[in-house]
Amino acid sequence: MLPGVGVFGTGSTARVLVPLLKAEGFEVHALWGRSEEEACCLAKELGIPFHTSQSDDVLLHQDVDLVCIYIPPSMTRQIAVKALGIGKNVVCEKAATAVDSFKMVTAARYYPQLLSVMGNTLRFLPAFVTMRQKLVEGYVGELQVCDVRVYGPSLLDQSYGWTCEELMGGGGLHTVGSAIIDLLSYLTGARAHRVHGLLRTFVQQNGLIRGIRRVTSDDFCFFQMLMGGTGSGSVCCTVTLNFNMPGSFVHEVMVVGSTGRLVARGTELYGQRNGSKGEELLLDDSGWVGPEVKEMPLPHLRGLSSMVKALRQSFQAHEERRSWARGPVAMAPTFEDGLYVQTVVEAVKRSSCSGEWECVEIMSQEPDPNHNLCEALQRNKN
Amino acid sequence: MLPGVGVFGTGSTARVLVPLLKAEGFEVHALWGRSEEEACCLAKELGIPFHTSQSDDVLLHQDVDLVCIYIPPSMTRQIAVKALGIGKNVVCEKAATAVDSFKMVTAARYYPQLLSVMGNTLRFLPAFVTMRQKLVEGYVGELQVCDVRVYGPSLLDQSYGWTCEELMGGGGLHTVGSAIIDLLSYLTGARAHRVHGLLRTFVQQNGLIRGIRRVTSDDFCFFQMLMGGTGSGSVCCTVTLNFNMPGSFVHEVMVVGSTGRLVARGTELYGQRNGSKGEELLLDDSGWVGPEVKEMPLPHLRGLSSMVKALRQSFQAHEERRSWARGPVAMAPTFEDGLYVQTVVEAVKRSSCSGEWECVEIMSQEPDPNHNLCEALQRNKN
């Protein structure tokens, strides 16, 4: 039986998610927005019976068994941890810092019977599901290189907000890079141990963000990750993110191995084995019918839709509406994956400051908050 | 009046060059090959009256006024410097080391009345000539990012030789990266001051190179250059070279600025200004009729052809067959440019070893040869 859903957030993802949930048979009972007005407006638009700006009203709502959290990264940890504490299943977006991610991991470990997945959606995209399968089957031979490019228009909101602020979780690396970092660990079955990166904010002010306000979040980022193995045995991943390209959207993930290569362009998958004359189309995803959303690139939209389907399958398997089966969502990123991704993001940022390769060291205990404060102050200086 | 030409080399470039020279009206009088046999064979094939394996026989040949040197990098310096000393005009490929390049610069400075250009051909490709012009005209606004990708099949020769040896000037960075480094400085009008890179040799042995022999030259290389200005004012260039992709050839150079972007795919140029709906084709080079050569990618072939045309114009302007006009070859890379390129190549290699950003410092005097020997020994250890 499908659980009742409560949604946090009134942004573009929440706006897309609700219809997808409904299409799969979920009932969305409650919506939270930062202001009463935003919540009211979107609830009316999407036909959600209850709305509020008090998080507890959703978390304690008796019909809500599954909480979907798509809000600014800096607020995610608080809601996610509280939701688990109250006994609700959680799907959420990334947090703002590794410390926050670590707290979420702690909570998820404490409530293993509750569903806790990162709403990172690229893993669910059929092109990447097939790509992973082909990699496992040995289509490319020994994996050597992954090369990812995402180009698009600015990620900044219309008005000044968290998307402009690096420390609030804004920027291409945090917003889009996170999804790529997660995807690459899913595809390769390995984790980055060393990273190198360079971040830039080319557009620091625009027509809407001016005066004393400046954008600090990156609009250009490239980073390299050495994954699995060490030395020459490791896989080299290069990722280029450029969000100074209005009017374009490029989303290309290529993996190259000793005997062939695979490349996902948008939602389609192509492959070529060494010795063959040309690329073969391995997955044509163009037949997909679903909403077209201007703010959300098709791979993310399509992935979100597949994730919602997986959630439906997971919950449908059980009679009790809070129970779920692990199978259909086994490929979803866990909160541990979220911590890993956040750790890589922070290592790339460190590398951009230091100019050096930085090690990816996953936090194993919560840092002393005072020490953390000092670090935050230091980072502010840069 | 056009000068008589002597060609050094029997590789794929020399094989393509001779017909191009002839088509423009140059007479090729002499061919040098490493062995008498190779020279004889190719001379017969291309209809060159004289061949030899003694370099002096070409350099001192009385009908030879222009020497074209397309031989392994480690031999280039010796021939080029000697040719200038004998009073011949020189077009040549890159040398193997910065020290060699420096010696070539010294010779070129000593004989300023002689033509001395690097036979790096991408600058002459019409797509890049137009791209540069558009950049100067402000098509992209303030330049932010250059992104270059070259993918193709292995660069290794059929048998073990210099292409397999990093120290002999083999590898993707040295062979193809050089041309890209030169091109980017031509396009941006700036030079790299800091670089970061990663080199890999994924294929260390193959069916033909085995036993105790190992390839040491890179078949994958990723590097970044900060060009012009310093700090946030600099242009970020990222270059990805991957020669583990048989059956494919990708040659893409993209420049992104504050108001638009330009991208050369193969020999065609596209552009898009911010606010416009799609790309516009700025230069369709598909009408070109010329030889198709399997070993040489079209942009290089097409560029080589344009360079030969420019050489013809340069020499045609004068009655005396050794005299030439600067105008038509003004855009050609000088030996000073060659030294710069070689310095960047070596800085990228250093960075790949150290893992750090390396400064690009152009040699201003010849290093102590003993010191140099020590360095070479140290490099061999890695």
Side-chain angles (χ1 to χ4, degrees):
Chain A
M1 194 181 151
L2 291 184
V5 180
V7 171
F8 281 80
T10 54
S12 55
T13 311
R15 192 179 292 269
V16 174
L17 180 67
V18 171
L20 291 173
L21 285 165
K22 287 184 166 181
E24 291 298 318
F26 288 94
E27 267 188 73
V28 180
H29 292 287
L31 178 75
W32 173 93
R34 257 186 304 177
S35 71
E36 195 66 38
E37 206 184 334
E38 278 178 355
C40 177
C41 187
L42 191 64
K44 208 174 269 175
E45 186 187 322
L46 299 173
I48 300 171
F50 176 77
H51 65 267
T52 175
S53 63
Q54 305 293 316
S55 58
D56 283 359
D57 290 352
V58 176
L59 295 179
L60 297 170
H61 195 294
Q62 59 174 6
D63 294 329
V64 168
D65 313 297
L66 169 65
V67 175
C68 297
I69 306 170
Y70 288 84
I71 55 179
S74 59
M75 304 161 72
T76 298
R77 186 260 306 157
Q78 195 196 345
I79 308 286
V81 170
K82 200 165 186 182
L84 289 170
I86 292 169
K88 309 284 168 127
N89 298 300
V90 172
V91 174
C92 73
E93 274 273 38
K94 61 208 160 298
T97 66
V99 177
D100 275 7
S101 303
F102 185 79
K103 286 180 175 160
M104 286 164 59
V105 167
T106 307
R109 283 185 191 151
Y110 203 79
Y111 304 103
Q113 79 285 8
L114 293 174
L115 175 123
S116 57
V117 303
M118 301 301 294
N120 180 307
T121 52
L122 289 179
R123 288 188 186 209
F124 286 93
L125 188 74
F128 295 125
V129 174
T130 309
M131 186 184 259
R132 182 163 197 269
Q133 196 182 319
K134 294 273 173 196
L135 282 170
V136 170
E137 289 167 14
Y139 187 99
V140 307
E142 199 180 332
L143 186 59
Q144 297 168 341
V145 171
C146 305
D147 193 7
V148 179
R149 302 188 302 155
V150 183
Y151 302 153
S154 174
L155 297 171
L156 300 181
D157 274 343
Q158 286 296 318
S159 60
Y160 185 83
W162 71 272
T163 55
C164 305
E165 270 288 344
E166 184 243 324
L167 289 175
M168 299 277 282
L173 172 62
H174 201 278
T175 312
V176 177
S178 291
I180 299 295
I181 293 164
D182 179 70
L183 176 68
L184 289 174
S185 92
Y186 167 73
L187 290 174
T188 63
R191 286 189 165 182
H193 48 89
R194 291 183 84 206
V195 299
H196 189 273
L198 183 79
L199 281 78
R200 279 281 186 280
T201 308
F202 283 111
V203 177
Q204 299 189 352
Q205 297 198 309
N206 62 26
L208 295 155
I209 297 147
R210 56 195 174 195
I212 55 157
R213 284 189 159 155
R214 278 183 123 54
V215 178
T216 60
S217 57
D218 61 289
D219 51 20
F220 173 78
C221 172
F222 62 76
F223 60 96
Q224 298 146 257
M225 301 189 287
L226 296 180
M227 300 185 72
T230 48
S232 61
S234 59
V235 175
C236 303
C237 298
T238 62
V239 180
T240 310
L241 311 172
N242 193 338
F243 299 101
N244 293 304
M245 295 177 58
S248 81
F249 183 73
V250 172
H251 197 281
E252 195 179 289
V253 177
M254 183 167 69
V255 294
V256 182
S258 54
T259 64
R261 53 195 174 271
L262 293 161
V263 52
R265 297 193 185 94
T267 59
E268 294 183 343
L269 182 68
Y270 299 84
Q272 182 168 1
R273 288 184 208 259
N274 295 354
S276 73
K277 286 234 168 137
E279 283 186 350
E280 53 177 334
L281 179 63
L282 296 172
L283 191 87
D284 174 6
D285 204 37
S286 60
W288 185 61
V289 273
E292 288 243 356
V293 184
K294 199 174 151 243
E295 295 83 20
M296 192 183 266
L298 196 58
H300 285 267
L301 181 59
R302 180 78 180 83
L304 192 66
S305 159
S306 299
M307 186 191 71
V308 171
K309 280 197 174 64
L311 283 174
R312 194 246 303 144
Q313 287 161 5
S314 171
F315 282 101
Q316 226 168 18
H318 282 266
E319 273 305 297
E320 213 275 305
R321 61 186 193 138
R322 286 204 187 169
S323 297
W324 50 284
R326 210 161 285 273
V329 290
M331 71 198 270
T334 62
F335 282 13
E336 314 250 354
D337 293 319
L339 172 60
Y340 158 74
V341 167
Q342 188 61 41
T343 306
V344 174
V345 164
E346 294 186 6
V348 171
K349 288 185 182 179
R350 271 204 319 279
S351 169
S352 182
C353 291
S354 70
E356 293 177 16
W357 285 89
E358 296 281 347
C359 287
V360 177
E361 280 161 19
I362 311 282
M363 205 176 277
S364 58
Q365 61 179 44
E366 207 167 322
D368 175 355
N370 289 326
H371 172 74
N372 196 39
L373 180 66
C374 293
E375 265 201 333
L377 287 171
Q378 276 199 317
R379 277 175 67 201
N380 256 332
K381 282 200 303 184
N382 293 324
Chain B
M1 196 178 152
L2 292 184
V5 181
V7 172
F8 282 81
T10 53
S12 54
T13 311
R15 191 180 291 269
V16 174
L17 181 67
V18 171
L20 291 173
L21 285 165
K22 288 185 166 182
E24 291 297 320
F26 287 93
E27 267 187 73
V28 181
H29 293 287
L31 178 74
W32 173 94
R34 257 186 303 179
S35 72
E36 195 66 38
E37 205 184 335
E38 278 179 354
C40 177
C41 188
L42 191 64
K44 208 173 271 176
E45 186 186 324
L46 299 173
I48 300 172
F50 176 79
H51 65 265
T52 178
S53 63
Q54 306 293 316
S55 57
D56 283 359
D57 291 351
V58 176
L59 294 179
L60 297 169
H61 196 293
Q62 58 175 7
D63 294 329
V64 168
D65 313 297
L66 169 65
V67 175
C68 296
I69 307 169
Y70 288 84
I71 55 181
S74 59
M75 304 162 72
T76 298
R77 186 259 308 156
Q78 196 196 344
I79 309 286
V81 170
K82 200 166 186 183
L84 290 170
I86 292 169
K88 308 283 167 127
N89 298 300
V90 172
V91 175
C92 73
E93 274 274 38
K94 61 209 159 298
T97 66
V99 177
D100 275 6
S101 304
F102 185 79
K103 286 179 176 160
M104 286 164 60
V105 167
T106 307
R109 282 186 192 151
Y110 203 78
Y111 304 103
Q113 78 285 9
L114 293 173
L115 176 122
S116 57
V117 303
M118 302 301 294
N120 179 306
T121 52
L122 289 179
R123 288 188 186 208
F124 286 93
L125 188 73
F128 294 125
V129 173
T130 309
M131 186 184 259
R132 182 163 197 268
Q133 195 181 321
K134 294 273 174 197
L135 282 170
V136 171
E137 289 166 12
Y139 188 98
V140 308
E142 200 180 334
L143 186 59
Q144 296 168 342
V145 171
C146 305
D147 193 7
V148 178
R149 302 189 302 157
V150 183
Y151 302 152
S154 174
L155 297 172
L156 300 181
D157 274 343
Q158 286 297 317
S159 60
Y160 184 83
W162 71 273
T163 55
C164 306
E165 270 289 345
E166 184 243 324
L167 289 174
M168 300 278 279
L173 172 62
H174 201 278
T175 312
V176 177
S178 291
I180 299 295
I181 292 164
D182 180 68
L183 176 67
L184 289 174
S185 92
Y186 167 71
L187 290 174
T188 63
R191 286 189 163 182
H193 50 88
R194 293 182 84 207
V195 299
H196 190 271
L198 183 79
L199 280 79
R200 279 280 187 279
T201 307
F202 283 111
V203 177
Q204 299 189 352
Q205 298 197 310
N206 62 27
L208 295 155
I209 297 146
R210 56 195 173 197
I212 55 157
R213 284 191 159 154
R214 274 182 130 47
V215 178
T216 60
S217 57
D218 60 288
D219 52 18
F220 173 78
C221 174
F222 180 76
F223 63 97
Q224 299 144 253
M225 302 189 286
L226 297 181
M227 300 185 73
T230 46
S232 61
S234 58
V235 175
C236 304
C237 298
T238 62
V239 180
T240 311
L241 310 172
N242 193 338
F243 299 101
N244 293 304
M245 295 177 60
S248 80
F249 183 72
V250 172
H251 197 282
E252 194 179 289
V253 177
M254 183 168 68
V255 294
V256 182
S258 55
T259 64
R261 54 195 175 269
L262 292 161
V263 52
R265 297 194 184 94
T267 60
E268 295 184 343
L269 181 68
Y270 298 84
Q272 183 167 0
R273 288 185 209 260
N274 294 354
S276 72
K277 286 233 168 135
E279 283 185 350
E280 51 177 335
L281 179 63
L282 295 173
L283 190 86
D284 174 7
D285 205 38
S286 61
W288 185 61
V289 272
E292 289 242 355
V293 184
K294 200 174 149 242
E295 295 84 19
M296 192 183 269
L298 196 58
H300 286 266
L301 181 59
R302 180 77 180 85
L304 193 65
S305 159
S306 299
M307 187 191 70
V308 172
K309 280 196 174 64
L311 283 174
R312 195 247 302 146
Q313 288 161 4
S314 172
F315 282 100
Q316 225 169 19
H318 283 266
E319 273 306 297
E320 215 276 303
R321 61 187 192 138
R322 285 202 187 169
S323 297
W324 50 285
R326 210 161 287 273
V329 289
M331 70 199 270
T334 62
F335 282 13
E336 315 251 353
D337 292 321
L339 173 59
Y340 157 74
V341 167
Q342 190 60 41
T343 307
V344 175
V345 164
E346 294 186 6
V348 171
K349 287 185 181 177
R350 272 205 318 278
S351 169
S352 183
C353 291
S354 70
E356 293 178 15
W357 284 90
E358 295 283 347
C359 286
V360 177
E361 280 162 18
I362 310 283
M363 204 176 277
S364 58
Q365 61 180 44
E366 208 168 320
D368 175 355
N370 289 326
H371 171 75
N372 196 39
L373 180 67
C374 293
E375 264 201 334
L377 287 171
Q378 277 200 316
R379 279 174 66 198
N380 256 333
K381 283 198 306 188
N382 292 324

